[in-house]
Amino acid sequence: MKIPLFRLAVLVACITPGALLLYGAFVTGDLGINPVETLQHRTGATSLQLLLASLAITPLRKITGWSWLIKVRRMLGVWAFVYGFAHFMSYFAFDRLFSLAGVAEDVVLRRFVLSGMVSLLAMLPLALTSTKGWIRRMGGKKWQRLHRLAYVAAVAGALHFVWKKKVLTFETIAYTMSVLLLLGYRLVEATRKRRPSSTRQAPAA
Ligand code: HEM
């Protein structure tokens, strides 16, 4: 597939859930019986899905050999933050009526709000340093190290969802399994790389 076309398709996929929400809110005026819940549910779920999609790029690329997948990883991560921020703002505006004290109280008293906050704050430096200029300024190694915060964001995001739902549903199991699989893959890869070359199997002649 041509890379610009692929990037455009992913961009459209990232924008569509937000565009549908705005369309429902301002054009048809139909966001269901509880518009705030719809807003919070869709922005939260889209943020988590895009975050997991961005983390799935590296394993997919290595398994399939489709190196061009890397072209959309940053885009997925940035949109995950955009939806996460919109999700937080809908909570801040409608649930907490723009009270920072109210948010602070929730963070202390409700573990699902604390984990949501950790997830969003972990994504913030990633979104801020997502440009080519920042990669150049920081150097590839440092940038990659900082971007390990994406794992923190994913674990905290999944915990946030599980703690919010409280019961095991198809969705909670699916998100938890996805995070475990994506992190497990990285752990296996890191262990394999760290193993001294003498203990690795010699390549077949
Ligand atoms: C400051 C940060 C955050 C706060 C205060 C917050 C708050 C909330 C609240 C109040 C709900 C419940 C909505 C309802 O009544 O159904 C919720 C649900 C949810 N949040 Fe967050 N959230 C935060 C960050 C995040 C982030 C960063 C993600 C994604 C990575 C996320 C993903 C979700 C998901 C998937 C749901 C469940 C939606 C549903 O099915 O009902 N949240 N969040």
Side-chain angles (χ1 to χ4, degrees):
M1 189 196 272
K2 288 250 189 324
I3 304 299
L5 201 66
F6 173 59
R7 279 174 64 89
L8 182 68
V10 175
L11 180 66
V12 170
C14 289
I15 291 173
T16 301
L20 288 177
L21 270 177
L22 291 175
Y23 186 75
F26 297 109
V27 182
T28 60
D30 179 19
L31 282 184
I33 34 174
N34 190 337
V36 172
E37 204 179 281
T38 305
L39 194 64
Q40 288 181 348
H41 171 82
R42 293 218 208 135
T43 48
T46 308
S47 173
L48 192 52
Q49 286 155 10
L50 291 176
L51 181 62
L52 295 180
S54 74
L55 282 174
I57 294 289
T58 298
L60 264 180
R61 198 166 55 100
K62 288 197 177 148
I63 292 165
T64 60
W66 296 341
S67 51
W68 42 268
L69 285 173
I70 198 73
K71 298 276 176 199
V72 295
R73 192 174 61 178
R74 267 189 293 148
M75 189 197 300
L76 290 168
V78 170
W79 279 97
F81 175 76
V82 170
Y83 281 102
F85 186 69
H87 175 71
F88 167 72
M89 285 311 290
S90 68
Y91 152 87
F92 188 39
F94 299 114
D95 289 2
R96 291 286 137 241
L97 306 173
F98 296 105
S99 157
L100 281 175
V103 175
E105 191 182 287
D106 253 2
V107 166
V108 173
L109 295 178
R110 305 166 85 184
R111 63 182 181 176
F112 97 90
V113 175
L114 171 67
S115 51
M117 191 62 86
V118 170
S119 178
L120 189 65
L121 290 180
M123 278 194 265
L124 177 65
L126 309 187
L128 291 178
T129 59
S130 66
T131 58
K132 282 195 178 125
W134 268 104
I135 303 175
R136 216 176 316 112
R137 229 169 294 154
M138 290 180 70
K141 276 247 158 68
K142 248 192 195 164
W143 188 85
Q144 269 180 345
R145 222 174 298 138
L146 176 76
H147 278 247
R148 286 193 196 137
L149 276 176
Y151 310 139
V152 176
V155 172
L159 273 177
H160 172 68
F161 185 64
V162 171
W163 280 336
K164 166 74 187 87
K165 291 283 172 194
K166 294 193 186 95
V167 285
L168 278 186
T169 60
F170 172 75
E171 268 183 309
T172 48
I173 295 171
Y175 284 129
T176 310
M177 290 303 291
S178 307
V179 171
L180 289 178
L181 266 175
L182 292 170
L183 294 190
Y185 174 86
R186 269 145 176 112
L187 212 68
V188 171
E189 280 286 288
T191 317
R192 212 170 50 85
K193 271 189 199 150
R194 230 172 271 145
R195 238 188 318 167
S197 52
S198 60
T199 62
R200 277 190 216 149
Q201 228 171 7

